Amino acid sequence: MPSNQQLTRPQQVLTIANSYLKRERPATALLPVAALLVVAGVFAVTSFLPAIVVGGLLTTGFLVPLIQPRGTVRLRTDTDVTSVVDSFTSPVPPILPLQWGTADEVVVEDGIPVYTLSYLSGLRSVEISLHRDSRSISDGSHRINLQLRMDGTPWSRYAVDVYDQDGQAEIEYEYEADQRFGLRRLPQRLIADRYFEAALRAQGYTVVERNRSVTRYLKQLGCGS
């Protein structure tokens, strides 16, 4: 493999990822506006001091890193186990479609996939690198470990098990963020939920079970990792 290789990604997944961006970016941008309207409403019906208190609470919730997403997902596909392992250890794993699908480009640099994403109309950008390893288990299953790093900082981890179930490949994985986030990230994650499963279906995977929910996030407020 060349030391620096740009990859072509599935067009159907790119279309879904683009639809996600068209909804996520306006929702994220409008959240501070909604917060200001809430503060203005409190001021209109009460007084200045309660409005300041509400504004402080909202600002704290938006900015203080209290939420650390984690959970488990189970998938099924008609594809054989060997092909699934190959896809999960590729530069564009099926369970990361909204990462590589929203990237301006995906390049493999010395064997490490790098997703470059721009925002604020191209004024800023980040690089997400994907670090992978895999091994076979004695029972015939496979364990794959994926870690995303944003500009070199650990961002999220995925422990994936792939095994045969009555002739079909089944996948179970556990994920956990390496970073905590403020409530301002909730719209982004809620919108991602909708498009994540569509992107998986486009790649031939069916979601059998997920344990992630908004309630789960909120229960983790103030909790450690």
Side-chain angles (χ1 to χ4, degrees):
M1 180 180 289
S3 59
N4 194 314
Q5 177 188 20
Q6 185 167 343
L7 298 180
T8 301
R9 293 159 285 169
Q11 184 58 51
Q12 189 174 0
V13 177
L14 294 183
T15 300
I16 293 170
N18 186 56
S19 297
Y20 157 73
L21 280 182
K22 287 181 178 179
R23 294 181 182 275
E24 180 272 323
R25 289 186 172 175
T28 300
L30 287 173
L31 191 60
V33 176
L36 288 175
L37 291 175
V38 170
V39 173
V42 172
F43 176 73
V45 300
T46 58
S47 63
F48 179 74
L49 183 57
I52 290 295
V53 172
V54 170
L57 291 173
L58 289 174
T59 300
T60 300
F62 289 159
L63 300 180
V64 174
L66 298 174
I67 302 170
Q68 188 174 23
R70 64 184 73 180
T72 58
V73 181
R74 184 157 62 95
L75 309 173
R76 181 176 294 131
T77 179
D78 294 332
T79 309
D80 62 274
V81 169
T82 299
S83 298
V84 170
V85 171
D86 288 343
S87 68
F88 271 76
T89 54
S90 75
V92 287
I95 58 173
L96 301 177
L98 299 184
Q99 285 82 358
W100 53 259
T102 57
D104 299 328
E105 64 175 4
V106 176
V107 176
V108 178
E109 299 178 350
D110 297 324
I112 298 177
V114 177
Y115 313 150
T116 302
L117 292 85
S118 62
Y119 55 102
L120 294 179
S121 300
L123 296 177
R124 299 189 64 180
S125 65
V126 296
E127 287 191 346
I128 299 177
S129 58
L130 173 64
H131 302 261
R132 307 159 288 170
D133 68 73
S134 64
R135 68 181 188 274
S136 298
I137 310 299
S138 58
D139 62 1
S141 63
H142 298 262
R143 165 57 65 93
I144 302 164
N145 293 303
L146 306 174
Q147 184 189 58
L148 292 176
R149 299 178 186 174
M150 183 174 289
D151 290 336
T153 301
W155 194 253
S156 58
R157 290 168 282 132
Y158 304 78
V160 184
D161 290 311
V162 183
Y163 55 92
D164 182 82
Q165 182 70 28
D166 299 327
Q168 291 186 315
E170 290 216 1
I171 304 97
E172 292 185 3
Y173 71 91
E174 181 177 2
Y175 64 89
E176 181 173 0
D178 289 306
Q179 305 290 325
R180 295 182 182 181
F181 310 101
L183 292 177
R184 63 189 177 90
R185 289 294 185 99
L186 275 181
Q188 179 187 76
R189 302 200 67 87
L190 293 174
I191 295 171
D193 276 351
R194 174 181 177 183
Y195 290 95
F196 173 71
E197 294 195 18
L200 284 175
R201 287 194 297 272
Q203 299 173 87
Y205 294 88
T206 300
V207 176
V208 178
E209 183 180 359
R210 295 180 73 186
N211 70 357
R212 186 170 70 175
S213 69
V214 175
T215 302
R216 180 179 177 85
Y217 294 144
L218 296 178
K219 287 181 178 178
Q220 293 180 43
L221 293 180
C223 295
S225 60

